[in-house]
Amino acid sequence: MGRQPRSLSRLPPASASAVLLLLLLFAAESALSLDNGLIRTPPMGWSTWNRFHCSINETLIQDVTKAIVTSGLAKFGYVYVNLDDCWMAADRNSQGQLQADAATFPSGMKHLGDYIHGLGLKYGLYGDPGTMTCQRRAGNENHEKIDAQTYAKFGADYLKYDSCYASHDYQLHAYMDMRDALNATGRPIAYSICPDASRCNDEKTVMWDASSVANVVMCRGDRAEWCAKHALGESVMLCRPALLQVYNTGY
């Protein structure tokens, strides 16, 4: 067997407490996902949500980024550092752009992206096609173009696009609008979407085909075991797990 990354228990205390959740993100097979040249293999890395939820800040993200590198995990392909909800403020700036929560990310999102890239990793951000995010921060509705440009300016390599405060019928158009807006920036940004979770609970619901819309598609549930129990007949792709928890104490 090849060399293994050293145990998290041997990391410095600050780093060990930060690296509580490592995620293996499963992309849809290349034949069934957006063909933009990205996510040709399952993207691997770390996401804030399942462990920290809304309690995130730039120091935490920097500590985790360092720990992924110093632990040796980056050498094994764990290269994504993905921020979920709560990185942004509830209000936009005077130019109508998304902005960082100044209390938790005082240096701004471009600075954080530069830090992550400086250690050789990739930078993921979160958005929502509705009027608000799930945690009632600024949503992307009717701001797809300017927000895609903002993500690109921040240096994002990955966007998770959720489904709160957006109607089911509106979502397909919103997901396509953001797909097109991301492509128009000229920056390669992998695209992950989370269609209306409530509809996925209903086996009678016919979901739309997202195979040309996104690189990664999640339909209800943040963990693989949910999808294993609730695959929707022929629409298995729409219930592929967006993540598999590899390490997460206390959740």
Side-chain angles (χ1 to χ4, degrees):
M1 293 180 65
R3 180 172 53 86
Q4 297 297 315
R6 64 191 177 98
S7 170
L8 293 176
S9 64
R10 295 172 58 191
L11 293 175
S15 297
S17 63
V19 187
L20 294 172
L21 173 61
L22 284 169
L23 307 174
L24 173 61
L25 308 177
F26 280 100
E29 294 153 10
S30 58
L32 293 175
S33 62
L34 179 62
D35 187 14
N36 59 359
L38 302 175
I39 309 296
R40 310 308 288 180
T41 58
M44 301 191 298
W46 179 84
S47 175
T48 60
W49 184 254
N50 277 43
R51 175 60 185 176
F52 295 104
H53 297 275
C54 216
S55 300
I56 59 175
N57 57 68
E58 65 180 44
T59 300
L60 169 67
I61 305 306
Q62 290 171 344
D63 285 347
V64 170
T65 302
K66 286 187 291 187
I68 291 173
V69 174
T70 59
S71 68
L73 286 165
K75 295 179 181 179
F76 288 86
Y78 291 86
V79 297
Y80 283 94
V81 178
N82 291 353
L83 281 67
D84 209 278
D85 206 345
C86 300
W87 65 263
M88 72 289 283
D91 299 312
R92 293 172 176 269
N93 64 20
S94 59
Q95 287 77 46
Q97 300 166 322
L98 292 171
Q99 58 184 341
D101 184 324
T104 51
F105 294 91
S107 301
M109 306 314 292
K110 174 66 164 60
H111 179 272
L112 183 60
D114 289 345
Y115 179 87
I116 293 171
H117 290 148
L119 289 180
L121 302 185
K122 296 184 178 182
Y123 180 35
L125 289 174
Y126 168 97
D128 189 287
T131 55
M132 297 182 289
T133 70
C134 298
Q135 299 300 309
R136 298 179 176 270
R137 306 298 179 99
N140 300 89
E141 184 173 297
N142 298 322
H143 292 84
E144 288 83 4
K145 291 182 179 180
I146 189 172
D147 290 348
Q149 293 167 0
T150 298
Y151 297 137
K153 181 180 69 175
F154 289 162
D157 303 298
Y158 190 105
L159 176 68
K160 173 187 172 181
Y161 211 40
D162 217 330
S163 59
C164 291
Y165 300 102
S167 70
H168 176 77
D169 293 334
Y170 169 75
Q171 284 177 31
L172 175 58
H173 301 288
Y175 289 140
M176 293 175 69
D177 287 346
M178 182 55 79
R179 174 201 63 190
D180 295 342
L182 291 173
N183 288 340
T185 68
R187 180 175 180 81
I189 302 176
Y191 188 35
S192 171
I193 63 174
C194 303
D196 191 346
S198 64
R199 293 298 187 98
C200 296
N201 290 328
D202 184 357
E203 295 183 359
K204 297 180 180 180
T205 298
V206 178
M207 298 295 293
W208 40 265
D209 180 9
S211 62
S212 65
V213 179
N215 299 108
V216 180
V217 182
M218 181 178 75
C219 191
R220 182 65 179 93
D222 285 332
R223 288 164 291 174
E225 61 264 28
W226 193 97
C227 284
K229 297 177 181 178
H230 296 81
L232 301 178
E234 295 297 324
S235 301
V236 175
M237 182 230 175
L238 289 177
C239 203
R240 291 182 183 276
L243 56 87
L244 170 65
Q245 295 189 48
V246 176
Y247 184 78
N248 182 15
T249 60
Y251 179 73

